[in-house]
Amino acid sequence: MTRCFKGPRPSCFDITQSCVTSRIRDTISAMNGKSDRVIVVDDDAELRALLRRFLTEHGFETRAVDGGSALDRELSRNPADVIVLDLMMPGEDGLAICRRLRAAGDLTPIVMLTARGDPIDRIVGLETGADDYLPKPFEPRELVARLAAVLRRTRGMRAVAADEVMTIGSLEINLSTRTVKREGASLKLSSREFALLEALLQSRGRPLSRAQLIERALGRDAEVTDRAVDVHVARLRRAIGDRADAPELIKTVWGVGYVLVSDGA
């Protein structure tokens, strides 16, 4: 057992052969026939080395950097399929990095790590644009499973017919390019925001419960709570310019969940 300590709680990693079965590795490799590219961002050198070794051994093409500037350099050289991002770092912390990437239109899936145990940190991380959240200490095979789930979810959302465009009210939604425009102006949505919008779009006019939104858009593996669904819907409303006090497109159906309408009814 190798132990790494960061913040108030330890992060423990058992990197022996028994920790992760070859079945997980085979599942990841079979997802798209090539290794998925992961960038680990953490200021702890020992933790970076452990995660890089572990993820590489289990089918990922893994790079590891110590902060936001190094991440920017890596992304400019070679994009990533998913980013593992530590929350607690000196200087530009994980929340600031996530917020900056999303503001720049970078929708690379992000799994955020933190040594903090406060549930509010999870909510803030998801509000900032993270796709999943894993508190320390954690089993490394859980990280592998979370990465596989995020990649499966985001890859599945891209598997739609080319140039499939739908119009809802003033929104123009391209399901192929995963882009959204409102009255001709491009909007910036995170991968989870787009997933929610797509799920609501596919059930347009029919309310979806929070459990259904978790199942269809956020993923059961993400351990998303009802409160987190509300947070994501609020962020989606802001992203598409739907007023929180009087939404025209995404309506709250009390006691049920949410529904996407096109006529403001």
Side-chain angles (χ1 to χ4, degrees):
M1 175 74 74
T2 301
R3 294 179 180 271
C4 293
F5 296 90
K6 182 173 179 61
R9 297 174 61 189
S11 176
C12 303
F13 296 88
D14 183 348
I15 57 174
T16 63
Q17 183 176 359
S18 62
C19 186
V20 178
T21 66
S22 60
R23 185 159 54 98
I24 295 178
R25 181 179 63 248
D26 294 342
T27 299
I28 296 169
S29 298
M31 287 170 65
N32 63 349
K34 63 183 180 66
S35 296
D36 289 300
R37 300 164 296 179
V38 180
I39 298 180
V40 176
V41 187
D42 198 294
D43 64 306
D44 186 317
E46 183 181 3
L47 182 57
R48 289 199 308 274
L50 285 169
L51 285 179
R52 182 171 185 175
R53 173 184 167 186
F54 187 86
L55 294 176
T56 298
E57 288 177 348
H58 293 88
F60 292 97
E61 178 186 316
T62 310
R63 292 167 282 167
V65 299
D66 62 0
S69 296
L71 172 64
D72 293 341
R73 290 193 294 271
E74 286 295 326
L75 289 174
S76 67
R77 295 167 184 161
N78 187 16
D81 295 304
V82 63
I83 298 170
V84 177
L85 179 61
D86 186 48
L87 173 63
M88 298 176 63
M89 293 187 292
E92 188 180 30
D93 64 15
L95 289 177
I97 293 172
C98 183
R99 187 178 298 111
R100 177 168 59 79
L101 290 176
R102 296 304 187 235
D106 189 327
L107 301 182
T108 304
I110 293 174
V111 175
M112 191 166 284
L113 307 178
T114 181
R116 294 177 179 172
D118 193 337
I120 194 64
D121 289 325
R122 172 180 294 210
I123 294 174
V124 172
L126 295 176
E127 283 184 319
T128 304
D131 295 87
D132 204 351
Y133 189 101
L134 190 57
K136 300 175 182 177
F138 59 87
E139 286 288 339
R141 60 183 171 183
E142 182 178 3
L143 175 59
V144 170
R146 294 293 185 96
L147 291 174
V150 166
L151 288 166
R152 183 171 60 248
R153 188 165 63 244
T154 55
R155 185 171 292 115
M157 290 186 297
R158 294 194 294 267
V160 295
D163 297 326
E164 186 177 351
V165 179
M166 301 189 72
T167 301
I168 302 294
S170 59
L171 293 183
E172 182 181 285
I173 306 163
N174 190 312
L175 298 176
S176 177
T177 61
R178 295 173 55 75
T179 55
V180 181
K181 294 182 179 180
R182 179 163 187 149
E183 298 177 349
S186 296
L187 306 178
K188 294 180 180 179
L189 274 67
S190 72
S191 57
R192 280 200 164 184
E193 290 163 0
F194 191 92
L196 280 174
L197 179 60
E198 185 176 21
L200 291 165
L201 178 64
Q202 291 172 347
S203 296
R204 179 176 44 173
R206 300 192 308 274
L208 291 177
S209 68
R210 291 171 178 81
Q212 288 174 316
L213 287 172
I214 291 173
E215 174 72 25
R216 300 183 187 187
L218 303 178
R220 288 173 294 178
D221 295 323
E223 297 181 0
V224 177
T225 64
D226 286 354
R227 166 58 181 155
V229 173
D230 295 337
V231 168
H232 280 296
V233 170
R235 294 187 72 246
L236 173 59
R237 281 172 169 160
R238 288 197 298 270
I240 64 175
D242 209 18
R243 291 177 53 189
D245 57 343
E248 298 178 355
L249 296 176
I250 301 175
K251 300 280 191 177
T252 301
V253 181
W254 298 109
V256 180
Y258 298 94
V259 62
L260 179 67
V261 297
S262 59
D263 56 4

